[in-house]
Amino acid sequence: MTRRVNRLWPLARTYWFDALILAGTGVWLAEAVVSLHHRDGPQGPLWFDVLAILAFTTPLLARRRFPLGALLAAGGAIAAATFVDGAIVKHPFVSFLFGLSICVLFGMRPARVQSAAGLAFTIGVAALVELNAPRGKVGDFFFDVVAFSVAWIIGFAVGGKLSEADEARERAARAEREREERARLAVADERARIARELHDVVGHSVSVMTVQATAVRRTLEPDQDKEREALLVVEQTGREALAEMRRVVGVLRRPEEAPALAPQPSLEHLDRLVESAREAGLPVELRVEGEPVQLAAGLDLTAYRLVQEGLTNALKHARAQQAEVVVRYADGQVEVTVSDDGRGGGDGDKGGHGLVGIRERISVYGGELEAGPRPEGGYRLSAKLPIA
């Protein structure tokens, strides 16, 4: 039952006015048949009155596709019909409700010139109705003018609110699309940055291997031709690999960037990073637990970047008073945690989608990242990285 109501509710919200139009049409037709011989009722013929009433009401069902044309068609049909049967829209009260509805719809038109012209058009139709009515009165015309004006004002106000709501939804949708686009660009940019840094790390290692192979080859005895040939292949392969890496990563590197000549930072440089944060006004406590082990260069760089991002967020976004950095070596993994007592969200979005880059880096090495507020207050950024 609840599921059926949930399916019908959107239809009811969309087509409730159409249902009222059909109901009003039925009531008006019944009134025309019952009051055909009434002194103040329609004067017939009946077939004309039926067609005229349908011409008054059914155009409103097409208002979504023809928002202005439907209203003009309904009003024009009323004006034209009064020349044949002047009493057709005078007797039933439902006809007055249709007139009010037309005024409300004109008032809701977003084009204000069309809206004002619609009110004038409706008042003109009301004047023609009173002019052609068998017992038309000036007082009835002024009453129609006041009632239609009030209905138009209501429609004008409602239309303004609906326009504001539509604009707000459009702005929200546009902001969401822009946010997603910024996040997508941030991911792409961070992946390119990771690739550049990995190039510098791996390139350094391949360079060392090539140089060592060259040194060993030069120390061989004259009769060690096979060993010399094998080492020469290692040298050539290493140099070709370095050249290819430079060509590929050169596409990713920004024009203003140059290849890193200094070694990439690692956890061995945490003291320097923590000291920089302290000099910037953030007291930081650094703890290293467990027996430190030698990490792969890229993994070491990833752990360092996590600490760097955590301290940057704590200092710039969270407005923290103090922070703590813990590096723990245990169970074949290194766990890096940065926590603070700040009041900010801790996400790097405000500072350039920093957490996006950290997630990308950690996913490269199969690690796990946790980021969120702490129960006692502040923010915590923690990652577990497998050493192997």
Side-chain angles (χ1 to χ4, degrees), residues 33-249:
V33 173
V34 172
S35 305
L36 184 61
H37 301 293
H38 191 276
R39 184 181 63 177
D40 297 327
Q43 304 300 311
L46 180 59
W47 65 268
F48 174 80
D49 291 339
V50 170
L51 292 178
I53 291 171
L54 293 176
F56 302 161
T57 59
T58 52
L60 298 181
L61 297 174
R63 68 191 183 280
R64 294 183 182 85
R65 187 171 182 181
F66 307 102
L68 184 61
L71 301 180
L72 294 176
I78 292 174
T82 59
F83 287 97
V84 178
D85 186 352
I88 189 171
V89 295
K90 284 291 293 180
H91 182 65
F93 180 71
V94 68
S95 65
F96 181 69
L97 295 180
F98 271 98
L100 294 178
S101 300
I102 292 174
C103 288
V104 171
L105 293 174
F106 267 126
M108 293 175 63
R109 294 292 302 149
R112 294 315 182 191
V113 174
Q114 291 182 3
S115 180
L119 175 61
F121 169 75
T122 308
I123 292 176
V125 172
L128 198 58
V129 168
E130 292 297 333
L131 181 64
N132 292 331
R135 299 174 181 271
K137 299 177 182 179
V138 176
D140 291 346
F141 169 69
F142 283 115
F143 175 79
D144 291 342
V145 171
V146 173
F148 289 167
S149 299
V150 171
W152 183 87
I153 292 172
I154 293 174
F156 187 87
V158 172
K161 293 298 182 182
L162 292 178
S163 297
E164 291 178 2
D166 291 340
E167 291 176 1
R169 283 193 295 268
E170 177 61 26
R171 286 196 299 270
R174 185 166 56 250
E176 180 65 18
R177 290 193 298 269
E178 292 175 354
R179 187 193 66 80
E180 292 177 355
E181 180 66 15
R182 288 196 300 270
R184 187 186 66 80
L185 293 176
V187 170
D189 186 66
E190 191 60 31
R191 285 178 176 175
R193 181 184 175 191
I194 293 170
R196 295 193 298 269
E197 291 185 351
L198 286 178
H199 162 264
D200 295 333
V201 171
V202 177
H204 175 71
S205 300
V206 174
S207 298
V208 171
M209 293 166 55
T210 304
V211 170
Q212 292 293 335
T214 303
V216 173
R217 180 175 59 84
R218 291 176 178 175
T219 61
L220 294 178
E221 298 293 334
D223 59 344
Q224 292 181 292
D225 294 333
K226 292 184 179 180
E227 290 83 354
R228 184 177 291 103
E229 182 178 349
L231 289 173
L232 184 60
V233 170
V234 172
E235 285 183 56
Q236 292 174 346
T237 304
R239 297 183 191 281
E240 290 174 0
L242 282 173
E244 187 63 27
M245 287 177 60
R246 290 193 181 99
R247 280 194 294 269
V248 172
V249 181

